[in-house]
Amino acid sequence: MIKSTKIGDYEVFFLHDGEFWLDGGGYFGVIPKVMWERLVAPDEKNRVVLKSNPMLVKTGEHNVLIDPGLGNKYNEKQVKIWKIKNEPSVIDSLAQIGMTPDDIDIVVATHLHFDHMGASTRWQEPGVAVPVFKNATHYIQRGEWEDATHPDVRTKGTYFLENYVPLMEAGLVELIDGDVEIVPGISVEVTGGHTKHHQIVFARSRGETAVYFGGIVSSINHVRIAYTMGFDLYPVEIMQKRRELYERAIAENWLVCLEHDPDYPAIHIKFDGKHYSYEPYQF
Ligand SMILES: [Zn+2]
C-alpha cells in the first residue's frame, strides 16, 4: 500500500525502496544502548531496521522524486552486513500508482549516500551502472558532488561512485549552489550537518508545506535534539539546525517526511515547552 496525501494542489506519495539494518550504535551515536533499546529492539547482532522511504510529489506539471532509495547494486557481503531486502522497490512502488521510472522528470538528492541514491542507477551488466530515471534531471548540491566524488577515509564506506557518476556521464545532473527554487513550488535549503552540503527539500502549494528532512531527522526516534547518528559528520550542527527548523515547522505546520522510519513516513513536530516531540500524520 502506498500512502499519499495532498499538499495544496500537489499529490504527495510515500514510496518504498526496501529495508536494511544498521548497527544500533551507529544509528544512535552517543546515546547509550540502555536508552535507545527502549525505543527500538535490536536483532541478535545489535542491528536495527531502517526503511527506505522515497517521496514523490506530483505538482500537475512535474513528477518530482526525492531520494530514490537504497537500490539493489549490492554484493553478497554487503547484503549480509546490512541485511538488505530491496522489495518492494521504488519501481514496484511507482507501478502501484500506475507510473514508471520514465514518468519522473525531476530527481532531487538530499545527499549522495548509498541508501539515498543507490536506486538512481542499476547494473546493466556487472560493473556497468546506468540511470534508472532516464528522463529526469537530477538536482545535486555542487559541494556534495565534490565530496561524494572524492570520498575520504571516513566517508568512502557511504559514497559509491556507481550511484551517481553514470548520471553525470548521461548528462542528467544539474549541480546547484545553495538554496534554490528548482521549479515553482519545489525548493531546497542547504542544512549541512549530516554531510557538509546536505539539503532538505520543500514542496509548497496554496500555503501548505511538506518538507523532506533526509539525514536531518531519519526516524521518529531521532526527533529529540540530542539523538544524532554516528554517521552524522557534523552532529553539533544538526542539533542547532533541528531547533531552527522545528520552530519554523511548528509555526508553519509543515508535514515533515522521514526517510528511514519503518512505520511513520510523515509527522508533525510538537513542542511542550521543554522538549520537542512528534505526532504521526494520520493518513
Ligand atoms: Zn546519509
Side-chain angles (χ1 to χ4, degrees):
M1 248 298 273
I2 304 295
K3 291 175 173 157
S4 69
T5 189
K6 293 274 266 184
I7 289 292
D9 294 334
Y10 300 169
E11 278 183 284
V12 178
F13 296 87
F14 298 89
L15 308 183
H16 307 290
D17 194 55
E19 67 176 43
F20 60 112
W21 294 66
L22 286 181
D23 184 80
Y27 199 39
F28 287 102
V30 297
I31 304 301
K33 187 176 178 184
V34 290
M35 292 176 73
W36 65 251
E37 73 180 348
R38 290 185 213 147
L39 306 173
V40 48
D43 73 358
E44 73 290 354
K45 291 199 158 62
N46 203 46
R47 294 173 296 193
V48 297
V49 68
L50 284 74
K51 293 278 182 189
S52 189
N53 303 327
M55 188 169 98
L56 171 72
V57 183
K58 292 176 83 168
T59 69
E61 265 182 74
H62 298 283
N63 296 323
V64 183
L65 180 64
I66 302 160
D67 283 11
L70 187 63
N72 60 7
K73 303 188 302 308
Y74 299 98
N75 62 36
E76 233 172 278
K77 191 176 153 197
Q78 291 166 324
V79 169
K80 214 173 141 192
I81 290 174
W82 292 316
K83 238 202 287 187
I84 292 171
K85 199 172 84 187
N86 189 228
E87 54 181 43
S89 70
V90 67
I91 297 171
D92 299 333
S93 301
L94 287 170
Q96 282 189 44
I97 53 171
M99 295 176 71
T100 75
D102 291 352
D103 296 323
I104 304 298
D105 62 334
I106 293 174
V107 171
V108 188
T110 58
H111 63 300
L112 295 176
H113 283 166
F114 69 86
D115 52 318
H116 298 246
M117 273 302 265
S120 66
T121 64
R122 61 180 174 83
W123 293 131
Q124 187 173 55
E125 52 187 274
V128 181
V130 294
V132 168
F133 306 97
K134 48 186 194 294
N135 297 328
T137 304
H138 298 62
Y139 291 85
I140 298 168
Q141 282 292 324
R142 187 181 309 276
E144 178 71 16
W145 178 268
E146 289 302 321
D147 290 347
T149 49
H150 303 86
D152 61 23
V153 67
R154 172 88 197 270
T155 61
K156 69 178 186 206
T158 52
Y159 285 133
F160 304 152
L161 298 178
E162 66 268 23
N163 291 335
Y164 34 88
V165 170
L167 306 174
M168 185 63 93
E169 288 170 351
L172 298 179
V173 173
E174 184 153 338
L175 296 179
I176 50 179
D177 298 284
D179 302 350
V180 170
E181 183 166 62
I182 289 172
V183 289
I186 304 292
S187 60
V188 297
E189 274 184 37
V190 174
T191 60
H194 181 57
T195 66
K196 195 170 179 188
H197 302 277
H198 179 279
Q199 62 186 359
I200 56 176
V201 187
F202 291 86
R204 291 188 177 94
S205 173
R206 293 190 183 277
E208 297 187 336
T209 302
V211 57
Y212 194 80
F213 261 2
I216 293 295
V217 178
S218 290
S219 77
I220 53 169
N221 297 322
H222 294 85
V223 169
R224 290 182 71 163
I225 300 283
Y227 278 58
T228 59
M229 302 184 286
F231 316 102
D232 294 330
L233 294 179
Y234 309 96
V236 174
E237 245 182 65
I238 290 213
M239 294 188 220
Q240 291 162 345
K241 204 38 129 173
R242 281 181 181 165
R243 268 182 216 289
E244 179 196 318
L245 291 169
Y246 289 174
E247 280 180 26
R248 292 166 62 196
I250 292 167
E252 296 172 22
N253 197 32
W254 295 351
L255 183 67
V256 171
C257 309
L258 304 177
E259 172 105 47
H260 291 312
D261 199 281
D263 303 304
Y264 304 111
I267 60 171
H268 284 104
I269 300 288
K270 300 279 156 197
F271 187 60
D272 66 7
K274 212 167 163 201
H275 295 292
Y276 289 99
S277 62
Y278 63 90
E279 198 166 274
Y281 178 70
Q282 303 295 328
F283 286 92

